Amino acid sequence: MNTSIFRLLSLFLVVTFSAVLSAETAASIDSIKVTEQISFYRVSSSRGNTTSVVFAGEDGALLVDPNFNETHVLLKQQITADHNSTIRYITSTHAHRDHIEQYGQFADQAIVIIPENQSEDVSSWGGKPNVTYNDQLTLHLNEKKITLMTLPVKIGHTNGDELVHFVDDNVLYVGDYYFSRGYPIIDMNVGDLYGYIKNINFIAESFPADTIIIPGHTT
């Protein structure tokens, strides 16, 4: 597959994100409908623009990356407005604080499914895992297939990276393997540049050219 996999839907490019920044406080959250069941959320804050993804339907919702910085109220309100659905499962693309800090605000009502290598970090933020896996796990929800998978090189962006593939919708959430603007970041404590590049090649070669890619960070 060619590098076109790393583009967003054209609608991402025409959406204007409003950002009212205040120290250590989430100012706003933007919602983009990728499909009828999948929404892409970006929090605007002084600590960055980390994204979250929700897949929702009559059977409940999957939340990917519960985000950071006391954003749970904003997320819950937006998920209700967009989907009127209860969060049934939670997972995370990796265990950096800006993606997992709010686990404790959701985990009491949902099943936490993560790669084994995320367990310690996620638990420290109140997201005690219910299910862990090492390579791949398939979830059937709302009559759709969702594949959670680790990457071939286990040390890349971090040492617990995950892709979330919404198979029937041809949508892939890659977390911090794609920043919509700027250079990628590799965690020099638990990550590895060589592994990151190898995993980028795997992503580019493993999914169709028309796959919709959702990044871990936007502008």
Side-chain angles (χ1 to χ4, degrees), residues 6-8 48-51 94 96 98-99 157 174-187 196 200 213-219:
F6 297 110
R7 72 186 189 279
L8 293 175
N49 299 315
T50 304
T51 62
H94 61 289
H96 279 160
D98 56 333
H99 291 260
H157 177 62
V174 298
D176 286 4
Y177 277 92
Y178 176 39
F179 291 70
S180 66
R181 179 177 293 183
Y183 291 103
I185 297 170
I186 292 89
D187 188 322
Y196 190 98
I200 286 287
I213 301 296
I214 301 177
H217 294 268
T218 54
T219 54

Coordinates of all heavy atoms in Angstrom, one line a residue, residues 6-8 48-51 94 96 98-99 157 174-187 196 200 213-219:
F6 N -1.7 7.5 4.9 CA -1.5 8.5 5.9 C -2.2 9.8 5.6 O -1.7 10.9 6.0 CB 0.0 8.7 6.2 CG 0.6 7.4 6.7 CD1 1.5 6.8 5.9 CD2 0.3 6.9 7.9 CE1 2.1 5.6 6.3 CE2 0.9 5.7 8.3 CZ 1.8 5.1 7.5
R7 N -3.3 9.8 5.0 CA -4.1 11.0 4.9 C -5.4 10.9 5.7 O -5.9 9.8 5.9 CB -4.4 11.3 3.4 CG -5.5 10.3 2.8 CD -5.6 10.6 1.4 NE -6.7 9.8 0.8 CZ -6.7 8.5 0.5 NH1 -5.6 7.8 0.7 NH2 -7.8 7.9 0.0
L8 N -6.0 12.0 6.0 CA -7.3 12.0 6.7 C -8.4 12.2 5.7 O -8.1 12.6 4.5 CB -7.4 13.1 7.7 CG -6.4 13.0 8.9 CD1 -6.6 14.3 9.8 CD2 -6.8 11.8 9.8
G48 N -1.9 19.9 24.9 CA -1.9 19.3 23.6 C -3.3 18.9 23.1 O -4.3 19.2 23.7
N49 N -3.3 18.2 21.9 CA -4.5 17.9 21.3 C -4.6 16.4 21.0 O -4.5 15.9 19.9 CB -4.7 18.6 19.9 CG -4.7 20.1 20.1 OD1 -5.4 20.6 21.0 ND2 -3.9 20.8 19.3
T50 N -4.8 15.7 22.1 CA -4.9 14.2 22.1 C -6.2 13.8 21.6 O -7.2 14.4 21.9 CB -4.6 13.6 23.5 OG1 -3.3 14.0 23.9 CG2 -4.6 12.1 23.4
T51 N -6.3 12.8 20.8 CA -7.6 12.3 20.2 C -8.1 11.1 21.0 O -7.4 10.4 21.6 CB -7.5 12.0 18.7 OG1 -6.5 10.9 18.6 CG2 -7.0 13.2 17.9
H94 N -1.7 3.2 23.4 CA -0.4 3.1 24.1 C -0.6 3.8 25.5 O -1.7 4.4 25.8 CB 0.7 3.8 23.4 CG 0.6 5.2 23.1 ND1 -0.3 5.7 22.2 CD2 1.2 6.3 23.6 CE1 -0.2 7.0 22.2 NE2 0.7 7.4 23.0
H96 N 0.9 6.3 27.2 CA 1.3 7.6 27.6 C 0.2 8.3 28.3 O -1.0 8.2 28.0 CB 1.7 8.4 26.4 CG 3.1 8.1 25.9 ND1 3.6 8.4 24.7 CD2 4.2 7.6 26.6 CE1 4.8 8.0 24.6 NE2 5.2 7.5 25.7
D98 N -1.2 11.2 28.4 CA -2.2 12.0 27.7 C -3.3 11.2 27.0 O -4.3 11.7 26.7 CB -1.6 13.0 26.7 CG -0.7 12.3 25.7 OD1 -0.2 11.2 26.0 OD2 -0.5 12.9 24.6
H99 N -3.0 9.9 26.9 CA -4.0 9.0 26.3 C -4.8 8.2 27.3 O -5.9 7.6 27.0 CB -3.3 8.1 25.3 CG -2.9 8.8 24.0 ND1 -3.5 8.7 22.8 CD2 -1.7 9.5 23.8 CE1 -2.9 9.5 22.0 NE2 -1.8 9.9 22.5
H157 N 6.9 3.1 19.2 CA 6.6 4.4 19.9 C 6.7 4.2 21.4 O 7.3 5.1 22.1 CB 5.1 4.8 19.5 CG 4.7 6.1 20.2 ND1 5.4 7.3 20.0 CD2 3.7 6.3 21.1 CE1 4.8 8.2 20.8 NE2 3.8 7.7 21.5
V174 N -4.5 4.6 14.6 CA -3.1 4.2 14.8 C -2.4 4.9 16.0 O -1.2 4.7 16.2 CB -2.2 4.5 13.5 CG1 -2.8 3.7 12.4 CG2 -2.2 6.0 13.2
G175 N -3.1 5.7 16.7 CA -2.5 6.4 17.9 C -1.3 7.3 17.4 O -1.4 8.0 16.4
D176 N -0.2 7.2 18.2 CA 0.9 8.1 17.9 C 1.8 7.6 16.8 O 3.0 8.0 16.7 CB 1.6 8.4 19.2 CG 0.9 9.4 20.0 OD1 -0.3 9.7 19.7 OD2 1.4 9.8 21.1
Y177 N 1.4 6.7 16.0 CA 2.1 6.3 14.8 C 1.8 7.3 13.6 O 2.3 7.2 12.5 CB 1.8 4.9 14.4 CG 2.7 3.9 15.1 CD1 2.3 3.3 16.3 CD2 4.0 3.6 14.7 CE1 3.1 2.5 17.0 CE2 4.9 2.8 15.4 CZ 4.4 2.2 16.6 OH 5.2 1.4 17.3
Y178 N 0.9 8.2 13.9 CA 0.6 9.3 12.9 C 0.2 10.5 13.6 O -0.7 10.5 14.4 CB -0.4 8.8 11.9 CG -0.9 9.9 10.9 CD1 0.1 10.7 10.4 CD2 -2.2 10.0 10.6 CE1 -0.3 11.7 9.5 CE2 -2.6 11.0 9.6 CZ -1.6 11.8 9.1 OH -2.0 12.8 8.2
F179 N 1.0 11.6 13.4 CA 0.6 12.9 13.8 C 0.2 13.7 12.6 O 0.9 13.7 11.6 CB 1.8 13.7 14.5 CG 2.2 13.1 15.8 CD1 2.8 11.9 15.9 CD2 2.0 13.8 17.0 CE1 3.2 11.3 17.2 CE2 2.4 13.3 18.2 CZ 3.0 12.1 18.3
S180 N -1.0 14.4 12.6 CA -1.4 15.0 11.4 C -0.6 16.2 11.1 O -0.6 16.8 10.0 CB -2.9 15.5 11.6 OG -3.0 16.5 12.6
R181 N 0.2 16.7 12.0 CA 1.2 17.8 11.7 C 2.4 17.7 12.6 O 2.3 17.4 13.8 CB 0.5 19.2 12.0 CG 1.4 20.4 11.7 CD 0.7 21.7 11.9 NE -0.4 21.8 10.9 CZ -1.1 22.9 10.9 NH1 -1.0 23.9 11.7 NH2 -2.1 23.0 9.9
G182 N 3.6 17.8 12.0 CA 4.8 17.8 12.8 C 5.4 16.4 12.7 O 4.9 15.4 12.2
Y183 N 6.6 16.3 13.3 CA 7.4 15.1 13.4 C 6.8 14.1 14.4 O 6.3 14.5 15.4 CB 8.9 15.4 13.7 CG 9.5 16.1 12.5 CD1 9.8 17.5 12.6 CD2 9.9 15.4 11.4 CE1 10.4 18.2 11.6 CE2 10.6 16.1 10.4 CZ 10.8 17.5 10.5 OH 11.4 18.1 9.4
P184 N 7.0 12.8 14.2 CA 6.6 11.8 15.2 C 7.5 11.9 16.5 O 8.6 12.5 16.4 CB 6.8 10.5 14.5 CG 7.8 10.8 13.5 CD 7.6 12.2 13.0
I185 N 6.9 11.4 17.6 CA 7.7 11.4 18.8 C 7.9 9.9 19.2 O 6.9 9.1 19.1 CB 6.9 12.1 19.9 CG1 6.7 13.6 19.5 CG2 7.5 12.0 21.3 CD1 5.8 14.4 20.4
I186 N 9.1 9.6 19.6 CA 9.4 8.3 20.1 C 9.8 8.4 21.6 O 10.6 9.2 21.9 CB 10.5 7.6 19.3 CG1 10.0 7.3 17.9 CG2 10.9 6.3 19.9 CD1 10.3 8.4 16.9
D187 N 9.2 7.6 22.4 CA 9.5 7.6 23.8 C 10.9 6.9 24.0 O 11.1 5.7 23.8 CB 8.5 6.7 24.6 CG 8.6 6.8 26.1 OD1 9.8 6.9 26.6 OD2 7.6 6.8 26.8
Y196 N 9.9 1.9 15.5 CA 8.9 2.8 15.1 C 8.8 2.7 13.5 O 7.7 2.6 13.0 CB 9.2 4.2 15.6 CG 8.1 5.2 15.4 CD1 7.2 5.5 16.4 CD2 7.9 5.9 14.1 CE1 6.2 6.4 16.2 CE2 6.9 6.8 14.0 CZ 6.0 7.1 15.0 OH 5.0 8.0 14.8
I200 N 5.8 1.4 11.1 CA 5.2 2.3 10.1 C 5.2 1.6 8.8 O 4.1 1.6 8.0 CB 6.0 3.6 9.9 CG1 5.7 4.5 11.1 CG2 5.6 4.3 8.6 CD1 4.4 5.2 11.2
I213 N -7.5 6.7 8.0 CA -6.5 6.7 9.2 C -6.9 7.8 10.1 O -7.1 8.9 9.7 CB -5.1 6.9 8.7 CG1 -4.7 5.8 7.7 CG2 -4.1 6.9 9.9 CD1 -4.6 4.4 8.3
I214 N -7.0 7.4 11.4 CA -7.2 8.4 12.5 C -5.9 8.6 13.3 O -5.4 7.6 13.8 CB -8.4 8.0 13.4 CG1 -9.7 7.9 12.5 CG2 -8.6 9.1 14.5 CD1 -10.9 7.4 13.3
P215 N -5.4 9.8 13.4 CA -4.2 10.0 14.2 C -4.4 10.1 15.7 O -5.5 10.4 16.1 CB -3.7 11.3 13.6 CG -5.0 12.1 13.3 CD -6.0 11.1 12.9
G216 N -3.3 10.0 16.4 CA -3.3 10.2 17.8 C -3.3 11.6 18.3 O -3.7 12.0 19.4
H217 N -2.9 12.5 17.4 CA -2.9 14.0 17.6 C -3.2 14.7 16.4 O -2.8 14.3 15.3 CB -1.5 14.4 18.1 CG -1.1 13.9 19.5 ND1 -1.4 14.5 20.7 CD2 -0.6 12.7 19.8 CE1 -1.0 13.8 21.7 NE2 -0.5 12.6 21.2
T218 N -3.8 15.9 16.5 CA -4.2 16.7 15.3 C -3.3 17.9 15.4 O -2.2 17.9 15.8 CB -5.7 16.9 15.3 OG1 -6.1 17.5 16.5 CG2 -6.4 15.7 15.0
T219 N -3.9 19.1 15.0 CA -3.1 20.3 14.9 C -2.8 20.9 16.3 O -3.5 20.6 17.2 CB -3.9 21.4 14.1 OG1 -5.2 21.5 14.7 CG2 -4.1 20.9 12.7

